[in-house]
């Protein structure tokens, strides 16, 4: 049974309560750090997804715990985004290499299958009649 607390979108008030911050702080961070947050298609009101809330938690940690300035937060977020992009690039390279390996294996299997088909002699009517005669004996 799914938890009642998990929703697709959360209001600014709910996010502020989760983060123990004022709604104005949530709006300020959204504007200050140019966050591209998810908007609900149901209404034009601000609605936040769990990924948006996690980003807000990171900002809160950087501002409140690490005592970073606005520039420091932006640099930290930029660096984190670059690390994520680097990880994605490495994953894409690995996937491309794996795909090339699989494609090579498929070509080798096809070549082997074609060779083995050529080695087998097709059954001609003479061979079929001989085979029937041998079976009847």
């Amino acid at each position: 049974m799914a938890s009642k607390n998990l929703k697709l979108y959360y209001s600014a008030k709910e996010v502020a309560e989760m983060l123990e911050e004022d709604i104005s702080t949530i709006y300020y961070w959204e504007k200050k750090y140019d966050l591209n947050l998810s908007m609900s298609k149901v209404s034009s009101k601000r609605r936040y997804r769990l990924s948006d809330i996690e980003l807000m938690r990171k900002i809160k940690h950087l501002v409140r715990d690490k005592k970073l300035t606005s520039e420091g937060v932006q640099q930290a977020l930029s660096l984190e985004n670059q690390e994520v992009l680097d990880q994605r690039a490495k994953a894409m390279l690995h996937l491309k290499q794996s795909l090339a390996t699989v494609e090579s294996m498929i070509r080798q299997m096809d070549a082997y299958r074609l060779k083995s088909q050529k080695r087998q002699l097709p059954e001609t009517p003479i061979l079929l009649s001989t085979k029937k005669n041998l079976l009847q004996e």
Side-chain angles (χ1 to χ4, degrees):
M1 185 170 147
S3 173
K4 282 185 175 182
N5 296 335
L6 292 180
K7 302 188 308 186
L8 187 56
Y9 292 100
Y10 295 85
S11 69
K13 180 181 178 185
E14 291 172 313
V15 174
E17 289 172 359
M18 285 182 214
L19 298 178
E20 298 175 347
E21 294 287 345
D22 293 334
I23 292 177
S24 60
T25 302
I26 301 300
Y27 291 155
Y28 173 77
W29 287 345
E30 181 180 341
K31 184 177 178 182
K32 180 69 179 174
Y33 302 113
D34 195 27
L35 305 178
N36 296 322
L37 301 177
S38 312
M39 295 296 286
S40 171
K41 299 200 192 264
V42 177
S43 68
S44 60
K45 293 182 180 180
R46 285 180 171 102
R47 297 286 181 212
Y48 302 89
R49 290 186 179 184
L50 288 174
S51 59
D52 302 329
I53 297 167
E54 282 305 309
L55 181 56
M56 292 282 191
R57 280 196 175 123
K58 288 176 188 174
I59 292 171
K60 178 181 178 177
H61 171 71
L62 295 170
V63 170
R64 302 286 188 236
D65 300 335
K66 298 272 188 170
K67 308 286 187 207
L68 293 181
T69 63
S70 295
E71 292 79 22
V73 171
Q74 287 173 332
Q75 286 177 353
L77 293 176
S78 177
L79 180 62
E80 186 175 306
N81 286 340
Q82 187 58 48
E83 288 172 357
V84 168
L85 291 175
D86 290 346
Q87 289 173 349
R88 287 181 182 170
K90 287 179 185 176
M92 287 296 293
L93 178 61
H94 179 71
L95 287 172
K96 286 179 181 179
Q97 290 171 341
S98 296
L99 178 61
T101 301
V102 169
E103 288 174 337
S104 172
M105 292 170 71
I106 290 171
R107 284 192 298 275
Q108 289 174 357
M109 290 171 61
D110 284 344
Y112 177 77
R113 184 177 48 84
L114 287 173
K115 281 183 184 177
S116 64
Q117 285 177 350
K118 287 179 182 177
R119 283 187 214 147
Q120 293 176 348
L121 294 175
E123 293 189 345
T124 61
I126 297 171
L127 290 174
L128 286 176
S129 65
T130 309
K131 191 187 274 184
K132 283 181 187 175
N133 289 339
L134 289 174
L135 290 175
Q136 288 177 355
E137 291 177 0

